[in-house]
Every structure is written in C-alpha cells, then in structure tokens.
Amino acid sequence: MPTTTSAPVENATTAPSTGAAPRRQAWRNRLSRWDFKFSPYLYVAPFFLVFILIGLYPMLYTGYLSFFSWPAYGSEIGPWVGWDNYAHVLGDSVFRKAFWNTIGMFLLSSVPQIIVATILAALLDTRLRGRTLWRMSILLPFVVAPAASAMIFGAIFADGTGLINQTLDGFGFPKVPWHADRFASWTAIATMVNWRWTGYNALIILAAMQAIPRDLYEAAEIDGASKVKQFFNVTLPSIRPTMIFVIVTSTIGGLQIFTEPRIFDTNLRFQGGSDFQYTTLTMYVFNTAQTTTNPYPRAAAAAWVLFLIIVGIALVNFLVTRAVQRRSLR
C-alpha cells in the first residue's frame, strides 16, 4: 500500500520540473528572436536621437521661424509674415552675388579636386617605393586646421607682399589683385580648399581601388589592355559607388564653404570683399543674422534657400554621375 500511494507524489513533484525546461527554452528562443530583430535598431538609435536633437529640430525650427518677423534684440517672435522673408532674400542683390560666388568657387574647387584625387589614388595604388609614407603624406593638409591653412594661403595670396605677387614682380609681370578681382579671389580660395581636401578624397578613392580583385587586371593584361584602358574600363566602373559618394559629399561641402573666404577677407566688416566679390551663401546667412531688421527670420529663410540649392545640385550630380557610368558599362 505505501508503494501505491508514493508514486503519485513523485509524479506530482517531477511534473513541474519537466514543464519548466520547455518554458525556459521557449523564453530563450523568444529573447533570441527579439535580439536578432530589435538589436540593430537599438545600436543606431543613439545616432538618430542626437541627430533629431541637434540636427532635425533646429532645421525644422528654422523653417518655422522663417515665416515670422522677429526684430533685433526682441524677446519674442513677432507676427506671421508669410513668404516675405524669402522674397527679401531672393530679391537681395547681395544674395545673388553670393550665389554666383559660391557656384564659381564650387566649380573651381570640387571639379579639379575630384579629378586630381582620382589620379593620385591611381598612382598610390601602384607598387611605389615607400607607398605607406606617400599615402600618409597626402593626408597631412587635412590635419592642418582650416584657420591655419587659410592664414598661410592668405599670406601667399596677399595683394602687396604675398609670395606669388612678389615672384611675379621679380620676373616683371603685373601683380594680381587677389582680393579686388572677383575671379582671382575665387581662384585663391579654391586653391585653399583643394589643398586641404584633395588628399582626403584620394584616400577614400584609394580604399575603393584596393578592393578591386587583381584578377580583373591580370585578365585585362592578357587581353592586351594598356594601363590607361585598364583605368577607364576596369578601375572606374569598379569604384562607381565610391565615386558617387565622393562627388555628392564634395558638392555639399563645396556649397557650404565658409571658413576660407571668411579668413581670407581683409576687410574689417568681413562681408566677403568690399563689393561682395567673394561672399558665399553661408557667409550671407551669417551676416544676415547680424543685421538690424528681422535678422533671424531672414537668416533662417536664406538658410532654407541654401539647403534646397544644395539638395537640388547634389541630386543633379548624383543622377548625372549614375547616367554617365551606366552608359560607360554598355
């Protein structure tokens, strides 16, 4: 009799333990699925939280502010003015000068910068002696602070005592009015930008070139392709995504140029030359925020116009680059 009564007791004590293990396993499987599903979002969430706080919110608030008036030194936002601030900005002759100055400097800096960076990357991708040293050396200008490089080039391009004008004067050539002439000032500022950013872009393109399988070059050599043909038919098509990235980022950076023309300016008003001959759009936004009539709303409107210009030109660059590269692959 005792044996017949003890069996149910043992079954009763072991039944929960046998059921707990599958439940724990099911819970672990569920955690594993959640980890696989949600972990990537948790990893990228800090970036987007910071971006929303210091990037997206100021941008949206700038757009909101651009439709109101706000007198200088006022404590509160004034009444709704609609598109008046945008009309003022687009009708301002200084804004139009700043627009064409920015486009001119962008073309003089970004276009040769990308071409030279691609050539440099192709040279550094060959079997050079001390290639590690060469690769590190081209990044040195990027390490120099923009203010320092602008001061160095400001001395080189000084109107009276600059290195270039002194050299030209020594050979009997007329001096170049670097600060007074519009195109000359664009060239001087574009030179500063190219000196600083060419090596940086070259290293990005070089990293893409080194990822190209060497079998492709060996097959091209067997087919009798020269180095130039290999560059245009193997290298460039293989680094297409990287080239699009470099072109788009160079476009964005070239249209936001501020430090170089600001420090290059010898005028105490820092307005980009006595006749605004090298005022850029970012300088226009900054200087508009220092005016006395609706400074912040008008600067906000100018900032949004600049943002739309950058998005439009970057999109055109992206579409043109992709179309050209697709045509080259046919």
Side-chain angles (χ1 to χ4, degrees), residues 144 177 197 209 291 320:
V144 179
W197 288 98
M209 287 181 178
T291 56
V320 170

Side-chain angles (χ1 to χ4, degrees), residues 56-254:
L56 184 61
Y57 170 72
M59 187 174 71
L60 296 178
Y61 183 73
T62 300
Y64 167 80
L65 183 62
S66 65
F67 292 100
F68 292 85
S69 68
W70 191 348
Y73 309 113
S75 58
E76 295 181 355
I77 299 177
W80 167 275
V81 296
W83 296 94
D84 286 358
N85 291 319
Y86 289 91
H88 172 82
V89 168
L90 295 176
D92 190 355
S93 60
V94 178
F95 176 82
R96 291 195 291 273
K97 282 187 178 181
F99 173 78
W100 291 116
N101 291 341
T102 304
I103 295 297
M105 292 180 207
F106 160 69
L107 292 176
L108 288 175
S109 60
S110 293
V111 175
Q113 182 186 130
I114 293 172
I115 293 173
V116 174
T118 306
I119 295 172
L120 277 177
L123 293 174
L124 292 173
D125 195 34
T126 58
R127 296 176 181 176
L128 288 174
R129 287 186 177 180
R131 53 187 173 184
T132 303
L133 177 64
W134 291 110
R135 291 171 182 174
M136 292 176 62
S137 300
I138 64 168
L139 194 60
L140 284 178
F142 182 74
V143 179
V144 179
S149 62
M151 293 180 68
I152 294 170
F153 280 92
I156 293 175
F157 290 107
D159 291 327
T161 59
L163 177 63
I164 294 179
N165 274 344
Q166 288 294 323
T167 305
L168 291 174
D169 189 53
F171 285 98
F173 293 104
K175 293 182 178 179
V176 179
W178 295 109
H179 290 80
D181 184 78
R182 198 176 191 188
F183 185 77
S185 61
W186 292 359
T187 305
I189 294 169
T191 304
M192 300 180 205
V193 177
N194 289 334
W195 180 78
R196 186 159 186 265
W197 288 98
T198 300
Y200 175 81
N201 287 327
L203 283 186
I204 294 177
I205 298 171
L206 174 63
M209 287 181 178
Q210 290 185 324
I212 300 173
R214 298 297 152 181
D215 298 346
L216 296 178
Y217 292 106
E218 293 175 2
E221 286 182 1
I222 293 173
D223 291 340
S226 63
K227 293 294 182 183
V228 176
K229 285 188 176 180
Q230 290 179 29
F231 177 75
F232 284 103
N233 296 326
V234 176
T235 305
L236 287 184
S238 300
I239 61 172
R240 181 181 58 179
T242 303
M243 290 301 296
I244 292 176
F245 169 79
V246 170
I247 290 172
V248 171
T249 53
S250 297
T251 301
I252 296 172

